[in-house]
Amino acid sequence: MNIRNIAIIAHVDHGKTTLVDKIIHATQVFRDNQETGELIMDNNDLERERGITILAKNISVNYKGVKINVIDTPGHADFGGEVERVLKMADGVLLLVDAFEGPMPQTRFVLQKALNLGLHPIVVINKVDKPNCRPDEVHDAVFELFFQLDATEDQLNFPTLYGSSKQGWFNTSLTPTDNINAVLDMILEKVPAPKVNEGTLQMQITSLDYSSFLGRIAIGRVSRGVVAEGQNIQLCKLDGSMVRGKVKELYTFEGMGKKRVTEVSAGDICAVVGIEGFQIGETIADFEQPEALPVIAIDEPTMNMQFSINNSPFFGREGKFVTSRNLRDRLMKELEKNLALRVQDTDDADKFLVYGRGILHLSVLIETMRREGYELTVGQPQVITKEINGQKCEPYEVLVVDVPSDFSGKVIDLVTQRKGEMLIMESKGEMQHLEFDVPSRGLIGLRSQMLTATAGEAVMAHRFSEYKPWKGVIPGRNNGVLIAKQAGSSTGYSLDKLQDRGSFFIDPGEEVYAGMIVAEHIKPGDLNVNVVEGKKLTNMRASGSDAATNIAPKIQMSLEECMEYIQQDECIECTPQSIRLRKILLDENDRVKYAKAMKTS
């Protein structure tokens, strides 16, 4: 069969999407005079802004008469659910590793999934044009990683390519060439054609697409038999039941788009239109003798957050969707394609518990909802605890930090304060490589502190390892906050007088409400302040002459930084145009009563 199915996996920022760009150009998917730009596969606004891949995508290219289906996967462990479901479509993996950094925690996470599925690996050591790169050491480290992950004899005998996606060359040695054909030739040579089992139709749905004309589209790889237009099928549901259906239209992938066909045989990836009510992981099977494929195993979420309607005084000013029904419908829709997410109803109809893989996983969902016109309030992220053998246990992660040697002491100090234990400390040139075992709770809010302590030099990555006994209280934020006493527009006069009390999150002229967090206090403990007081008119000068006040610019925090910053009695108001920090109880007297009640209990 002239088909190869290959997934590209790597740690974030090791160059997956750039390599896919080069494959697209090398196989002339576009006309020579067509304007394509960079990072062609990252077509989602959030992906382009952040420079990361969030959703797995597939394209197909033709090389030497062979059709190669290429699947671009995310590098963040937070989006591991995306990787777990699409690896089922591949027969081989292209493991991309940075020639300086070597295998990182998330490389290990995705590679383990690929090796367990018996996929054939090709290792590509990328960015060999970087100064202080060490391709030979990295090659040894990759071999060691394969060995640790119990790779088979065949998998350990992996071929290796060296090169630079950015400069557009790859070779079996370190000698630069002028093209990336070595990668494509290696795929044809080392990745086997899809195995085709004898028997009736079986196709597992591993992805879904949506079209306003065609409705929901099921995407997957035909693992057995043939699927044809107009064919009657049975949909094997996750609960074991069967639903009858009919294939209305059938598409295969060609270049960046889809091409309509009449039938697709086993081994190819296709898109099926016309099946109602399917979910990812279900099997499209033969009408007469339906047989289901094993369900895709997805790792459990490790963190949850409370999502609720926006109940601040500024409710409904900016968003289109503000009711709890809107919020619930949107979260249920997200569950269809986001396999690592869980949503649970609470006693309060306006609040939902949303479980995810990590802060980035949940923040991408919140950011997407904001852009779609939703208003919501989200609480502090909490880790999910379990009881194992009668003992309370929490998730632990392996934290890897690469930092200049001068700052290593500060990093060790910061992590040990958060109940982390050092596992490895070794030198990599001028950099110090540190590995820690740390509770997931300890990582919340650690990144910003670490970047401050290391002058922005620390490179931090982490991945879930296992559940272990609860480590006790981990110190949170050191400083309190300044809270607005009353509603109105903040004035330069008030902010100027309060500058020595803390660092502000607002500028003069911004509207505030009572209970809104306006600044970080320089001391522990919260303080209620009046930021809307104007200068009184005197017979000496007009109340408007405030030109002489020198106010420091406000602190700009991203959504993830806000999620890591807030404490248990605080929440974030997210609307299409604003992100505001606030206390859950807006009234000052209510907060005092609640604090007293907590002390007595």
Side-chain angles (χ1 to χ4, degrees), residues 314-320 322 373 375 575-578 580:
F314 293 170
F315 149 84
R317 285 192 186 185
E318 297 169 7
K320 286 189 289 187
V322 293
E375 282 195 12
T575 68
Q577 289 159 32
S578 320
R580 301 183 186 96

Side-chain angles (χ1 to χ4, degrees), residues 136-363:
D136 294 336
E137 285 177 48
V138 166
H139 180 270
D140 295 344
V142 171
F143 184 83
E144 203 172 301
L145 177 63
F146 271 74
F147 186 72
Q148 286 171 5
L149 296 176
D150 294 333
T152 63
E153 194 82 22
D154 197 25
Q155 287 171 333
L156 277 172
N157 200 12
F158 56 82
T160 309
L161 294 164
Y162 301 89
S164 160
S165 301
K166 201 170 186 179
Q167 293 182 352
W169 68 270
F170 282 98
N171 201 350
T172 47
S173 66
L174 285 166
T175 316
T177 60
D178 57 357
N179 57 44
I180 64 151
N181 291 352
V183 173
L184 296 163
D185 290 331
M186 192 66 80
I187 291 172
L188 299 196
E189 186 190 331
K190 296 291 181 185
V191 176
K195 271 203 213 101
V196 178
N197 301 322
E198 291 300 312
T200 54
L201 167 66
Q202 272 188 326
M203 170 185 154
Q204 188 157 43
I205 300 168
T206 49
S207 193
L208 60 85
D209 202 351
Y210 182 80
S211 152
S212 46
F213 300 108
L214 304 169
R216 292 172 76 220
I217 302 167
I219 298 172
R221 173 176 153 181
V222 183
S223 48
R224 207 169 75 179
V226 174
V227 60
E229 246 182 40
Q231 181 179 349
N232 289 320
I233 54 100
Q234 294 262 31
L235 181 66
C236 305
K237 304 287 284 178
L238 296 177
D239 59 6
S241 61
M242 303 280 175
V243 177
R244 295 177 180 190
K246 186 174 186 174
V247 177
K248 286 183 186 161
E249 290 176 22
L250 200 55
Y251 295 84
T252 54
F253 290 87
E254 190 166 281
M256 299 290 293
K258 298 187 184 82
K259 170 186 163 190
R260 189 165 177 181
V261 291
T262 51
E263 67 170 41
V264 177
S265 3
D268 206 352
I269 296 171
C270 68
V272 179
V273 175
I275 296 166
E276 294 298 318
F278 64 81
Q279 282 178 282
I280 290 172
E282 294 179 345
T283 308
I284 294 173
D286 185 65
F287 189 76
E288 303 291 337
Q289 298 166 293
E291 284 179 59
L293 283 160
V295 175
I296 300 169
I298 295 285
D299 286 357
E300 287 297 304
T302 56
M303 198 167 270
N304 69 15
M305 284 178 81
Q306 193 175 69
F307 281 44
S308 62
I309 58 167
N310 181 12
N311 56 3
S312 87
F314 293 170
F315 149 84
R317 285 192 186 185
E318 297 169 7
K320 286 189 289 187
F321 308 109
V322 293
T323 65
S324 57
R325 185 178 61 82
N326 293 144
L327 186 59
R328 189 176 199 286
D329 290 350
R330 178 64 184 81
L331 290 172
M332 293 306 158
K333 188 177 159 207
E334 187 67 25
L335 284 179
E336 289 179 357
K337 58 179 187 295
N338 199 333
L339 290 199
L341 203 73
R342 307 267 186 282
V343 177
Q344 190 181 316
D345 289 318
T346 62
D347 301 339
D348 187 338
D350 293 340
K351 293 177 182 165
F352 306 93
L353 268 182
V354 179
Y355 295 79
R357 280 277 179 87
I359 285 200
L360 188 64
H361 185 205
L362 292 165
S363 79

Side-chain angles (χ1 to χ4, degrees), residues 489-542:
S489 263
S490 60
T491 61
Y493 173 70
S494 301
L495 298 192
D496 186 40
K497 287 202 305 184
L498 291 164
Q499 276 195 105
D500 55 350
R501 293 297 185 124
S503 312
F504 278 88
F505 303 141
I506 58 167
D507 277 331
E510 266 188 55
E511 278 204 73
V512 298
Y513 51 79
M516 182 170 148
I517 295 170
V518 291
E520 180 173 49
H521 196 186
I522 56 166
K523 296 178 182 172
D526 298 343
L527 189 66
N528 292 290
V529 295
N530 184 354
V531 290
V532 300
E533 184 187 7
K535 187 158 75 176
K536 298 290 179 281
L537 184 67
T538 67
N539 61 350
M540 293 295 287
R541 57 188 183 270

